[in-house]
mmCIF file of all heavy atoms in Angstrom:
data_model
loop_
_atom_site.group_PDB
_atom_site.id
_atom_site.type_symbol
_atom_site.label_atom_id
_atom_site.label_comp_id
_atom_site.label_asym_id
_atom_site.label_seq_id
_atom_site.Cartn_x
_atom_site.Cartn_y
_atom_site.Cartn_z
ATOM 1 N N ASN A 228 28.820 148.417 -18.566
ATOM 2 C CA ASN A 228 28.785 148.299 -17.111
ATOM 3 C C ASN A 228 27.354 148.038 -16.705
ATOM 4 O O ASN A 228 26.556 148.964 -16.612
ATOM 5 C CB ASN A 228 29.349 149.526 -16.451
ATOM 6 C CG ASN A 228 29.635 149.321 -14.973
ATOM 7 O OD1 ASN A 228 29.210 148.277 -14.380
ATOM 8 N ND2 ASN A 228 30.281 150.279 -14.340
ATOM 9 N N LEU A 229 27.026 146.778 -16.500
ATOM 10 C CA LEU A 229 25.664 146.431 -16.068
ATOM 11 C C LEU A 229 25.688 145.891 -14.655
ATOM 12 O O LEU A 229 26.556 145.049 -14.338
ATOM 13 C CB LEU A 229 25.093 145.342 -17.032
ATOM 14 C CG LEU A 229 25.155 145.623 -18.540
ATOM 15 C CD1 LEU A 229 24.611 144.433 -19.303
ATOM 16 C CD2 LEU A 229 24.354 146.856 -18.860
ATOM 17 N N ALA A 230 24.806 146.300 -13.814
ATOM 18 C CA ALA A 230 24.739 145.876 -12.466
ATOM 19 C C ALA A 230 23.321 145.616 -12.021
ATOM 20 O O ALA A 230 22.403 146.283 -12.472
ATOM 21 C CB ALA A 230 25.422 146.889 -11.524
ATOM 22 N N ALA A 231 23.174 144.610 -11.158
ATOM 23 C CA ALA A 231 21.785 144.290 -10.684
ATOM 24 C C ALA A 231 21.845 143.420 -9.490
ATOM 25 O O ALA A 231 22.829 142.715 -9.236
ATOM 26 C CB ALA A 231 21.004 143.590 -11.812
ATOM 27 N N ALA A 264 18.607 146.368 -16.961
ATOM 28 C CA ALA A 264 19.796 147.038 -17.479
ATOM 29 C C ALA A 264 19.988 146.832 -18.951
ATOM 30 O O ALA A 264 20.341 147.730 -19.726
ATOM 31 C CB ALA A 264 21.041 146.566 -16.718
ATOM 32 N N HIS A 310 24.743 156.677 -22.874
ATOM 33 C CA HIS A 310 23.718 155.904 -22.130
ATOM 34 C C HIS A 310 23.587 156.373 -20.719
ATOM 35 O O HIS A 310 24.604 156.515 -20.007
ATOM 36 C CB HIS A 310 24.143 154.421 -22.185
ATOM 37 C CG HIS A 310 23.335 153.526 -21.287
ATOM 38 N ND1 HIS A 310 23.876 152.819 -20.242
ATOM 39 C CD2 HIS A 310 22.033 153.261 -21.295
ATOM 40 C CE1 HIS A 310 22.935 152.137 -19.656
ATOM 41 N NE2 HIS A 310 21.816 152.380 -20.269
ATOM 42 N N PRO A 312 22.135 155.396 -17.100
ATOM 43 C CA PRO A 312 21.614 154.203 -16.419
ATOM 44 C C PRO A 312 20.309 154.470 -15.697
ATOM 45 O O PRO A 312 20.079 155.579 -15.205
ATOM 46 C CB PRO A 312 22.725 153.844 -15.428
ATOM 47 C CG PRO A 312 23.386 155.172 -15.145
ATOM 48 C CD PRO A 312 23.339 155.909 -16.451
ATOM 49 N N PRO A 313 19.454 153.472 -15.560
ATOM 50 C CA PRO A 313 18.194 153.632 -14.844
ATOM 51 C C PRO A 313 18.436 153.564 -13.339
ATOM 52 O O PRO A 313 19.433 152.986 -12.895
ATOM 53 C CB PRO A 313 17.347 152.460 -15.316
ATOM 54 C CG PRO A 313 18.371 151.380 -15.582
ATOM 55 C CD PRO A 313 19.585 152.111 -16.125
ATOM 56 N N VAL A 315 18.001 152.049 -9.794
ATOM 57 C CA VAL A 315 17.777 150.693 -9.333
ATOM 58 C C VAL A 315 17.251 150.703 -7.897
ATOM 59 O O VAL A 315 17.905 151.297 -6.990
ATOM 60 C CB VAL A 315 19.028 149.827 -9.400
ATOM 61 C CG1 VAL A 315 18.784 148.421 -8.885
ATOM 62 C CG2 VAL A 315 19.589 149.799 -10.799
ATOM 63 N N ALA A 469 25.265 147.273 -7.331
ATOM 64 C CA ALA A 469 26.354 148.163 -7.631
ATOM 65 C C ALA A 469 25.917 149.273 -8.570
ATOM 66 O O ALA A 469 25.033 149.066 -9.409
ATOM 67 C CB ALA A 469 27.472 147.366 -8.256
ATOM 68 N N ALA A 470 26.465 150.433 -8.430
ATOM 69 C CA ALA A 470 26.069 151.559 -9.295
ATOM 70 C C ALA A 470 26.464 151.278 -10.765
ATOM 71 O O ALA A 470 27.523 150.756 -11.035
ATOM 72 C CB ALA A 470 26.744 152.816 -8.788
ATOM 73 N N THR A 471 25.553 151.604 -11.652
ATOM 74 C CA THR A 471 25.800 151.373 -13.050
ATOM 75 C C THR A 471 26.336 152.662 -13.666
ATOM 76 O O THR A 471 25.714 153.727 -13.562
ATOM 77 C CB THR A 471 24.513 151.003 -13.797
ATOM 78 O OG1 THR A 471 23.933 149.922 -13.097
ATOM 79 C CG2 THR A 471 24.814 150.618 -15.233
ATOM 80 N N ALA A 472 27.517 152.578 -14.280
ATOM 81 C CA ALA A 472 28.151 153.801 -14.817
ATOM 82 C C ALA A 472 27.527 154.194 -16.161
ATOM 83 O O ALA A 472 26.940 153.366 -16.859
ATOM 84 C CB ALA A 472 29.639 153.551 -15.005
ATOM 85 N N THR A 473 27.647 155.453 -16.499
ATOM 86 C CA THR A 473 27.154 155.942 -17.778
ATOM 87 C C THR A 473 27.975 155.244 -18.875
ATOM 88 O O THR A 473 29.217 155.168 -18.789
ATOM 89 C CB THR A 473 27.288 157.456 -17.879
ATOM 90 O OG1 THR A 473 26.549 158.020 -16.828
ATOM 91 C CG2 THR A 473 26.770 157.935 -19.210
#
Side-chain angles (χ1 to χ4, degrees):
N228 193 350
L229 308 177
H310 171 241
V315 180
T471 308
T473 301

